[in-house]
Amino acid sequence: MAGVRFPGLTHPGVIGTAPSNELLRIWNDRERQLEESGVESLTLCEVVHQRPLACLPTTKGCLLGNIEEGTPEWERIANEAARTIPGRENGGNCDIKNLSRGSKIYLPVFVEGANLSTGDMHFSQGDGEISFCGAIEMSGFLELKCEIIRNGMQEYLTPMGPTPLHVNPIFEIGPVEPRFSEWLVFEGISVDESGKQHYLDATVAYKRAVLNAIDYLFKFGYSKEQVYLLLSCCPCEGRLSGIVDSPNAVATLAIPTAIFDQDIRPKNRKVPVGPRVVRKPDVLKSTYDGKLPITKNPSSSS
């Protein structure tokens, strides 16, 4: 995107441990109940509900490693294995941009050996990854150091649910997060774009903050599609700023002003009309000719 520059914050979108059979049953039961009894009257243009409401186990597109497809074992596992779309108690697909180099994550362990897995590498992402796949995805490998805290779940994690399995990970932010001193912050409340009032709905509030930011930056010469993608990959920060004053939750989206080649702050004079982005000669120039050396994964056997 011309006229915009920001540093990457590489991180894995997925990192987690394997669930126990009991935890897997809890996931499937509660998500099936949501899918079967969830609201049917809401439409996508009013709020951000989508269909299906949950991705239940299915054999379609199921990848089960070395288990031979079509066998009774493959069918059994495929029909109960959780889809890895959402983050859950085990970590998983949380898409937390701050899990970068030097960070630490404390994951609960539910099975012998933990079965830690990770992937979905991102070069950069904004809080929320608002366009679903709008982060800058990349290939790569991770170097991890793992330690076990014996009885750590019992000592440090308080279950927020009916069983000891209803816990969530903890993490420490690494030292490489880009630091900005000036931000333009957009606010949203629990009122959707049709004017309908929702009760303390932080998702609607965050959506409104994002739409406010998109419409605002559109006035400075960017297309709305460009801004939509930009907010998915630049180091913007999303916050739940208020969740106690009914009926409106307040969400905010903070955008660092330094990533733009023009001043995007409101001023007394009129907003520039049409594309006024300052274009530097090298902004759109790529130096990659397709012949750069490939970095080999040092942990690979081949």
Side-chain angles (χ1 to χ4, degrees):
M1 181 171 168
V4 178
R5 294 172 179 269
F6 55 84
L9 184 60
T10 57
H11 63 281
V14 174
I15 183 168
T17 54
S20 62
N21 288 331
E22 181 182 358
L23 184 56
L24 179 61
R25 178 188 58 78
I26 290 172
W27 291 352
N28 288 335
D29 287 349
R30 73 189 183 197
E31 292 177 18
R32 183 172 292 107
Q33 182 179 8
L34 172 67
E35 172 60 19
E36 293 175 353
S37 61
V39 292
E40 296 294 338
S41 61
L42 299 178
T43 60
L44 187 63
C45 65
E46 292 176 337
V47 292
V48 292
H49 289 131
Q50 60 184 15
R51 299 293 183 273
L53 295 178
C55 297
L56 302 178
T58 175
T59 59
K60 184 178 180 180
C62 191
L63 301 176
L64 297 177
N66 294 326
I67 301 175
E68 185 179 351
E69 185 172 352
T71 62
E73 182 185 19
W74 190 92
E75 292 286 341
R76 177 185 63 81
I77 296 175
N79 281 293
E80 67 180 14
R83 285 298 170 121
T84 56
I85 291 294
R88 299 185 178 94
E89 285 86 348
N90 67 324
N93 189 27
C94 295
D95 289 316
I96 300 173
K97 70 175 176 27
N98 303 99
L99 291 179
S100 189
R101 288 170 292 171
S103 63
K104 295 180 180 180
I105 183 168
Y106 302 89
L107 292 164
V109 173
F110 302 101
V111 298
E112 185 72 24
N115 288 347
L116 175 69
S117 61
T118 184
D120 187 25
M121 295 288 290
H122 296 159
F123 171 75
S124 185
Q125 176 203 300
D127 281 340
E129 195 182 9
I130 61 167
S131 67
F132 185 65
C133 288
I136 301 176
E137 312 276 347
M138 69 175 192
S139 61
F141 56 88
L142 295 175
E143 182 177 336
L144 304 175
K145 178 182 179 181
C146 298
E147 296 180 2
I148 297 174
I149 301 177
R150 299 291 179 184
N151 300 315
M153 287 178 63
Q154 292 81 358
E155 292 289 337
Y156 295 105
L157 302 181
T158 302
M160 295 296 171
T163 78
L165 303 177
H166 288 81
V167 294
N168 295 101
I170 302 170
F171 72 93
E172 298 179 36
I173 295 176
V176 297
E177 184 182 32
R179 302 295 180 181
F180 298 95
S181 59
E182 296 182 352
W183 305 77
L184 197 60
V185 182
F186 297 86
E187 180 181 314
I189 59 175
S190 304
V191 178
D192 65 31
E193 50 270 38
S194 72
K196 180 179 179 180
Q197 179 73 62
H198 298 263
Y199 179 72
L200 292 179
D201 194 321
T203 305
V204 171
Y206 192 62
K207 180 188 179 186
R208 290 303 312 163
V210 170
L211 289 176
N212 290 336
I214 290 174
D215 278 352
Y216 179 88
L217 291 174
F218 171 68
K219 296 178 173 68
F220 287 82
Y222 309 103
S223 72
K224 292 186 178 182
E225 293 80 4
Q226 283 179 317
V227 181
Y228 184 39
L229 292 175
L230 174 67
L231 298 182
S232 297
C233 62
C234 77
C236 59
E237 294 190 0
R239 295 188 177 93
L240 297 180
S241 301
I243 55 171
V244 296
D245 298 316
S246 60
N248 283 329
V250 177
T252 53
L253 178 68
I255 305 174
T257 58
I259 69 174
F260 298 94
D261 281 356
Q262 61 176 317
D263 188 353
I264 62 167
R265 294 172 296 181
K267 304 171 188 66
N268 288 328
R269 61 182 183 274
K270 290 183 178 180
V271 174
V273 178
R276 295 292 182 89
V277 178
V278 177
R279 300 182 184 276
K280 295 185 176 180
D282 63 337
V283 167
L284 298 178
K285 181 180 178 182
S286 174
T287 59
Y288 178 54
D289 59 3
K291 300 178 181 179
L292 296 179
I294 297 175
T295 304
K296 183 180 179 181
N297 184 345
S299 63
S300 175
S301 58
S302 60

